[in-house]
Amino acid sequence: KNFMTHRQKKLERGFTLIELLIVIAIIGLIGVFAVLAVNSARSKQRDASRLSHLRMMQSALEDYFNETNNYPEGDLLPLGDASKSTCLGSSGFAPDCSTESSVFLRVVPSTYEDGLDGVVTCGEPAHRAFCYSRLEDGKSYVIHFELENALPPVGLQSGVNCAIPEGMESGICQK
């Protein structure tokens, strides 16, 4: 009878403190891993959006070049800046293209600033942006941009990269 009473008392007590602490620790670890996974996915999505915007701008710049035989004017021009480069029309980057005869890119996208270290800045006042410069008297260009993550399959690194008419390169372009 004494054995049965002791066993019944143990069942009535519930969980021990150590069991509760272990369960709380496991739930905490699962929460930490979930937050890390979500933040990593967000960072990669922002980089994918940056590259998509960059490819769209490169395509519009090629259309502009095919029509004018030059790339548009610009020296460390922050692309997507509302006061300087909201759109790309027949006369180049402009804050408004409503009077342009041809519009190559109605809305020039700016970069997502979240997650960036700020190693690529241009404009007045300086801010994180896709920084466009026309080179070789309009026969070439460079766009410096920043990524949060390295993308080895396409040869891009975390930090500064550049886009040129021939594609994209890791690091600062030497042109």
Side-chain angles (χ1 to χ4, degrees):
K1 183 175 179 171
N2 194 13
F3 172 73
M4 211 47 155
T5 307
H6 178 69
R7 185 175 180 161
Q8 286 175 343
K9 285 184 181 179
K10 187 169 184 173
L11 288 175
E12 291 175 9
R13 281 190 1 207
F15 296 108
T16 65
L17 180 61
I18 292 187
E19 290 169 333
L20 285 174
L21 289 174
I22 289 172
V23 168
I24 290 170
I26 290 171
I27 291 171
L29 283 173
I30 291 171
V32 166
F33 289 135
V35 167
L36 290 174
V38 167
N39 285 342
S40 175
R42 285 181 180 164
S43 170
K44 289 177 183 175
Q45 177 57 42
R46 286 190 299 263
D47 278 347
S49 293
R50 288 179 186 111
L51 289 176
S52 173
H53 289 163
L54 197 58
R55 287 184 183 114
M56 182 174 50
M57 286 185 288
Q58 285 183 296
S59 177
L61 286 167
E62 291 309 312
D63 291 343
Y64 182 94
F65 184 84
N66 289 336
E67 188 163 309
T68 64
N69 206 29
N70 275 308
Y71 289 105
E73 292 285 333
D75 185 31
L76 294 177
L77 180 69
L79 297 180
D81 185 311
S83 66
K84 298 175 185 170
S85 59
T86 303
C87 62
L88 177 59
S90 54
S91 61
F93 289 108
D96 179 28
C97 287
S98 60
T99 60
E100 297 286 336
S101 59
S102 297
V103 177
F104 301 100
L105 191 56
R106 187 154 308 282
V107 177
V108 175
S110 58
T111 190
Y112 291 109
E113 293 189 27
D114 291 348
L116 298 179
D117 294 330
V119 293
V120 176
T121 59
C122 56
E124 286 295 325
H127 59 278
R128 298 175 204 150
F130 295 118
C131 298
Y132 169 85
S133 292
R134 183 171 104 155
L135 305 173
E136 300 170 13
D137 293 324
K139 301 302 178 197
S140 188
Y141 69 85
V142 63
I143 302 172
H144 286 101
F145 64 98
E146 184 177 355
L147 294 176
E148 294 176 62
N149 304 289
L151 297 169
V154 293
L156 299 176
Q157 66 186 17
S158 173
V160 180
N161 295 280
C162 67
I164 54 177
E166 294 81 24
M168 296 182 200
E169 298 178 359
S170 66
I172 298 172
C173 285
Q174 300 303 318
K175 289 186 174 187

